[in-house]
Each structure stands twice: as structure tokens, then as C-alpha cells.
Amino acid sequence: MLKQTPRPELSVWYNTRCPVCDAGITRQKRRLIEAVRAGRIEFRDINLEPAALAGHGASLEDIRRRLHATDADGRLLVGADVAIAVWAATPGEGWLAKLFGNRLALPLTRFGYDRFADLLYAWNRRKGRW
């Protein structure tokens, strides 16, 4: 009988070819080391799995542009919603999730994240990182 391993609470796909993205995720991995070791959270390089989220309608370019994640139920999270989920899981950063993820702030958080992500994506394209 094969034993199934449970899905992680959060699987985050990110772009290691973006130095800003890679540095941010490296920092979060260090803060979440226990959750990563226990398999509750995983961080995956989309460049190694370019079609990983095709079933959700997310292309490689979509994931290079914005963080994407799936939760334990297989639901897709995108952009600021991923950042909020990661903050909520990170010791000492739950306050960030509450501040930027509350119902009043969330539309502004998403707007700000998307504008920053657009600029970062354009910068990386100009630098020829992909």
C-alpha cells in the first residue's frame, strides 16, 4: 500500500532569474525553515517547471510577472494574495498579512503589488534575464 504524502499548505512558484524575486524568496525560506523542512510550505522555481500551473491557466510568463501559489485545496493564488499568504505563515510577519490583507487595504495592496510587479518584469526583460 502506497502512502500518500499530504499536499503542502502552500506551494509558491517564483522566478529565480529575477534577482529581486530570488532574494525575497530566499529571505522567506530562511524565515520559514521549519515549515519548509516539514513540507508545509514549498518554494518552486518556475524555470524548472514551466508548465506547472498550465492546468490553472497560468503560463510561464504569467509566473515570471507575478508570484503564483496553490493552497492545500489546489486553489490558485496570484500576486499580492501570495505575499499575504506567505506573511501569514511567517513567524513575526502575521501583522503584515493583517495590515495589507484586510478588506479595506486589499484592493490597494493588489494595485501596488501589480504596478511594482509590472516594473520589475519590464526591468528583467530589458536586462535579458529571459
Side-chain angles (χ1 to χ4, degrees):
M1 187 162 153
L2 290 175
K3 192 176 187 181
Q4 281 191 326
T5 56
R7 275 188 179 181
E9 294 167 20
L10 194 63
S11 297
V12 179
W13 277 269
Y14 70 105
N15 181 14
T16 58
R17 293 184 187 166
C18 167
V20 174
C21 306
D22 196 38
I25 294 297
T26 297
R27 178 189 174 279
Q28 289 305 130
K29 280 186 203 177
R30 282 195 303 266
R31 304 266 340 238
L32 288 162
I33 194 76
E34 289 178 27
V36 170
R37 285 185 183 152
R40 293 190 316 271
I41 297 177
E42 64 180 358
F43 294 93
R44 299 170 71 166
D45 179 2
I46 195 57
N47 297 297
L48 300 177
E49 306 175 72
L53 296 177
H56 288 281
S59 70
L60 173 61
E61 289 305 304
D62 293 334
I63 298 158
R64 285 178 171 167
R65 187 177 292 272
R66 287 172 180 61
L67 285 173
H68 283 63
T70 53
D71 66 14
D73 295 323
R75 289 182 297 245
L76 185 68
L77 304 171
V78 179
D81 296 325
V82 177
I84 291 164
V86 170
W87 287 331
T90 304
E93 293 184 1
W95 68 273
L96 288 168
K98 289 177 183 171
L99 177 66
F100 292 108
N102 73 63
R103 128 183 119 73
L104 294 175
L106 188 56
L108 292 172
T109 301
R110 287 176 175 155
F111 180 82
Y113 177 97
D114 287 346
R115 298 303 69 78
F116 178 74
D118 290 341
L119 291 171
L120 191 56
Y121 179 81
W123 174 71
N124 278 302
R125 295 278 302 191
R126 276 193 309 279
K127 293 289 187 177
R129 293 199 169 94
W130 57 83

